[in-house]
Amino acid sequence: MSVSLEVTKREVRPRSLRNKLRHEGKVPAVVNGYKVESTAIAVNAAELERILRENGLNTVITINLEGKKVNTLIKEYQADTFTRNLTHVEFLSVDMNEETEVEAEVSLTGEAAGVKAGGVLAQNLYAVVVSATPDKLPERVEVDITALEIGDSLTVADLPKNDDYTIVTDSEEQIVAITEPQEITEDEEAGEAAEPAVIGEEEE
């Protein structure tokens, strides 16, 4: 799936122009890659954020660059620490027939039997690298953890296979484990129960 986004070329100098664009509701950006020389562009911030919110980071964005339609993926982006508004975006022009690699979120579904029995769920891997043609890149890879008991774990090798993409991440990397609940020792209980002494207070 792809979505369309209008862009305009922009000047690179002076740097103050970037702040001017942001005040106008635009995001300074650059596009480069397949059959495209590095070009400075500006995009409508609200429109781009809507596209990402509705489709995710791995969607193909078709931009209109001076009358030429260019299929792109978002390679990198920067956002304001406090507002989370986009401050700069790098678009990568892609060949729709050539596989590319991106990160896809690992999404756990279901409630593990081991957690219901009192175990603790520990997720160690939150994303995997996948390879596919741009139109088939997944936003996330789902894995059902319902059957996991205490002591069980899942690795990348346990992720469901899909004809649309290949998972590149090392198959032995652990994604999630259900561990025994931590037991509180008698010494820890005694330490929690003891009241701290007040300095300067005499014992009766």
Side-chain angles (χ1 to χ4, degrees):
M1 184 184 72
S2 67
V3 294
S4 299
L5 178 67
E6 291 296 322
V7 306
T8 55
K9 287 189 68 174
R10 65 178 173 87
E11 297 296 328
V12 178
R13 295 285 186 272
R15 291 180 63 87
S16 59
L17 286 175
R18 295 188 182 185
N19 290 331
K20 182 174 183 294
L21 285 172
R22 294 183 183 114
H23 284 306
E24 294 173 350
K26 297 178 180 178
V27 180
V30 64
V31 56
N32 53 56
Y34 178 68
K35 292 186 176 181
V36 173
E37 293 185 1
S38 183
T39 305
I41 58 175
V43 302
N44 182 281
E47 181 64 12
L48 179 56
E49 289 171 358
R50 181 192 64 78
I51 287 173
L52 297 181
R53 186 170 58 251
E54 295 179 356
N55 302 278
L57 274 173
N58 293 341
T59 191
V60 176
I61 300 176
T62 302
I63 65 174
N64 189 337
L65 186 61
E66 297 187 307
K68 177 183 178 182
K69 292 188 179 300
V70 180
N71 295 313
T72 70
L73 294 170
I74 290 185
K75 183 179 180 181
E76 293 181 2
Y77 70 91
Q78 298 171 7
D80 184 274
T81 304
F82 301 104
T83 66
R84 304 310 302 162
N85 292 333
L86 294 173
T87 57
H88 190 269
V89 179
E90 181 177 351
F91 292 90
L92 177 67
S93 174
V94 293
D95 180 350
M96 295 299 288
N97 297 312
E98 184 177 328
E99 290 197 359
T100 187
E101 294 183 1
V102 299
E103 282 195 343
E105 175 192 354
V106 174
S107 178
L108 308 182
T109 63
E111 183 178 1
V115 171
K116 292 181 180 179
V120 178
L121 183 148
Q123 185 172 355
N124 305 306
L125 191 66
Y126 291 86
V128 290
V129 176
V130 298
S131 176
T133 53
D135 59 320
K136 294 183 178 179
L137 290 170
E139 187 65 25
R140 63 184 56 82
V141 178
E142 294 186 347
V143 57
D144 187 358
I145 62 171
T146 305
L148 293 185
E149 302 283 356
I150 293 175
D152 289 345
S153 64
L154 291 177
T155 65
V156 171
D158 297 311
L159 290 173
K161 301 297 185 290
N162 193 295
D163 293 337
D164 287 342
Y165 57 82
T166 302
I167 297 175
V168 180
T169 302
D170 187 343
S171 62
E172 295 184 2
E173 282 204 43
Q174 188 182 83
I175 296 171
V176 63
I178 309 299
T179 62
E180 293 277 359
Q182 292 185 342
E183 295 183 2
I184 300 177
T185 65
E186 292 183 2
D187 290 342
E188 288 174 332
E189 288 181 343
E192 290 178 359
E195 294 183 1
V198 179
I199 296 175
E201 185 176 359
E202 295 183 359
E203 294 182 358
E204 293 184 356

